[in-house]
Structure formats: structure tokens, C-alpha cells
Amino acid sequence: MQRIIILINIILLLAACSSEKSSISPMQEHRGQSNVKGGVYLEKEHNPPKNNSGPLAVGQENFITRMVNKHGFNREQLREVLSQTNKLDWVINLMDKQAPTSGSSTVPKPNGAWIRYKNKFITPSNLPRGVEFWNNYKKELQRAYDQYGVPPEIIVGIIGVETGWGRVMGKTKIIDALSTLAFYYPRRAQYFSNELEHFLVMCRDERVDPFDLSGSFAGAMGYGQFMPSAFRNHAVDFNNDGHIDLWDPVDAIGSVANYFKAHGWQSGKKVAVIADGQALSLDTGFSTKYTVETLARAGLKPKSSLDGHNKVSLLRLDMGDRYQFWYGLPNFYVITRYNHSTHYAMAVWQLGLAVKEAR
């Protein structure tokens, strides 16, 4: 009997150790020391003998020269790094499928597009996960609100829509995704070349092997799916451990809040107000601008106060049997700075409110 008890205790101890290890973020697990002056930290398997690779393609060599001149990177080491990246054709195919298309100026018949989008996130099975995340980090969410003025429901909504509160953060090697799009996707090569630049500087600053970090197929990272430029411009060390780590939920909470503050979030102000009436002849979208008087003449009336705003955007949601119109206020526009989509911003806001109510 005593042997059985000892065996059970050993099993429980091993399980606890395994659980503790799984909670370590990729940055924590792979952070090391810079082993090449002016270069990035590379683990043994990513650090072949020097001068092992010859010249690369012209675009890659130009990128290396930029990194050497601008950031003091080691040319030979960076050539070795890029020579080990993989071109991901499936990433290019996905980007092509998501490329914007020119739409018709006529208003289509309602088909429920907003309902289908919303139902990806606001579901009875998903809300308890948001409640759990909120409850686990309520102190950090409150601290972010106190420091940056961004309410918990917005941060919870962003992280919920982006990664299901950390459940789906992407499995694509970020350096492969970014190098593929920087060197083999001309339509957006400049943007992704800049993101690859930010990513490598980030890895050098945080002393982490660039091959050990995974994210979305477009290179977004961590709980909040920041692109590398957003990391360098807006990510913060919110848990005060001396490092910035977006795979750590506390750093992610503070970083999302800081991002919103930097983009003009107005603390204590509304996000959007639903309208009475229809205005099918007017252009809609988060980037439109109308005076309240213009919308009134078109037949719309706000159902509640607009917080004193006289200029708003006009939002249109497809409810299946009709269109629903909303007055978009400045805070709604700020949410679209995270993702340029009316559906996205509305889903973030409404998911956060639904989690708040479910608590």
C-alpha cells in the first residue's frame, strides 16, 4: 500500500512538472545570450559553421545590407539565418485569397453576413472561456484600465477574437512566414520586409532564437497577435520581469491597452450607438464621415446619446432579413486600427460586452 501511495505521488509530481513546463512561453523557453557580436542568438542546430552559405538572391542580399547598415547586424550570420528559412507557397496562396477585391456600389440583398461572422465568436460555449480569462487576470485588466484608460471588456474582446484567449496563437514559424512574404510576394513585399526587419531586431533585443517563435501565417504573434512592428512600437513589460513577451498573458494585456491608448482611445467614451431608421443610399464603413444632421436628413436617429460627437461614421450590419445601422464613434475607429474591418471591430466590442455580462 505504501508503495502505491509513493507511486501515485511520483505520478502527480511529474504531471505538475509537465504542466508547469507547458505554461512557459516560447520566449521564456528559448531566450539565451547573443553569441555573435551584432547578431541574433542562435541555438546550436541553427548555428552552422561560418561561411557555410554563399550569396543569396538579390532581394535578400539587399535586405542584409540594410540590416547591417541600419542596425549593425553581422552580415555572415544574417546570411546564414536567411539561407535556413523556408519558402511557404501555401502562405502566398492564402494571402492571394485574402487580397481585397473591388465591390459593387449597389447595396446587395441582406444575407446574414454579420450574423455568421458574429456567431464565430459569441457562442454559449465560448463565453465561459472569456469569463475564465477575465477572472484569472482581473487584477492585471484593472491595472491596464487604470494606467491606459482601456476597459477590460475591450482587451478581453481583442484577445478573444484574435486567439480565443490564447488557445490558437498559430503554428507557423514566424521567420518563414515573413521571409516568404518579404521576398516572394511582390504585392506587399515592402510591408513584410519591414516586418521581417522589426522581427529580427526584436529577437536580438530579447535574445531569442528567431527560429523558435511561431505565430500566424502572416507573422502575427502571441495572445494579441501583434505584428513585429507593433511589438517594437507598443508592446510593454507589464509584469515587470525585465522582458517583453507577448506569449505571456500579462504582457499581452498591457500591450493591447498601450496600443489602444497610442491610437487615440477615449477613456469612458462610447464605442458605437445603434440607429433607428434606414439609409440605404449612403456609403457605409468605419472610414466614412457624416455629420449627425446629414444622417438625420437621410432618415436616421440615434437611440441614445452620441457623447457629444457631431461627426460619426455610418456602419451597416447585415442581419439576414434587414440591415441594421449604427453610428460609429471615435473609439470604434480605434478598434479598426487593430484590424481594418467593421465586422472585426463590432465583434471585438460585442464579445467583450457579452463576456462582461456573463460574469
Side-chain angles (χ1 to χ4, degrees), residues 124-150:
S125 61
N126 200 30
L127 293 183
R129 296 169 181 166
V131 171
E132 179 184 15
F133 181 86
W134 192 324
N135 290 340
N136 286 343
Y137 299 103
K138 60 183 178 182
K139 291 181 180 179
E140 290 80 5
L141 288 164
Q142 183 61 45
R143 181 158 60 92
Y145 182 41
D146 294 340
Q147 186 168 338
Y148 299 106
V150 182

Side-chain angles (χ1 to χ4, degrees), residues 93-129:
N93 293 335
L94 272 178
M95 291 297 293
D96 282 337
K97 289 180 180 179
Q98 296 192 1
T101 57
S102 57
S104 171
S105 59
T106 60
V107 179
K109 183 178 179 181
N111 61 20
W114 161 243
I115 301 299
R116 290 192 297 276
Y117 188 90
K118 180 183 72 171
N119 287 345
K120 295 178 183 178
F121 308 104
I122 306 176
T123 65
S125 61
N126 200 30
L127 293 183
R129 296 169 181 166

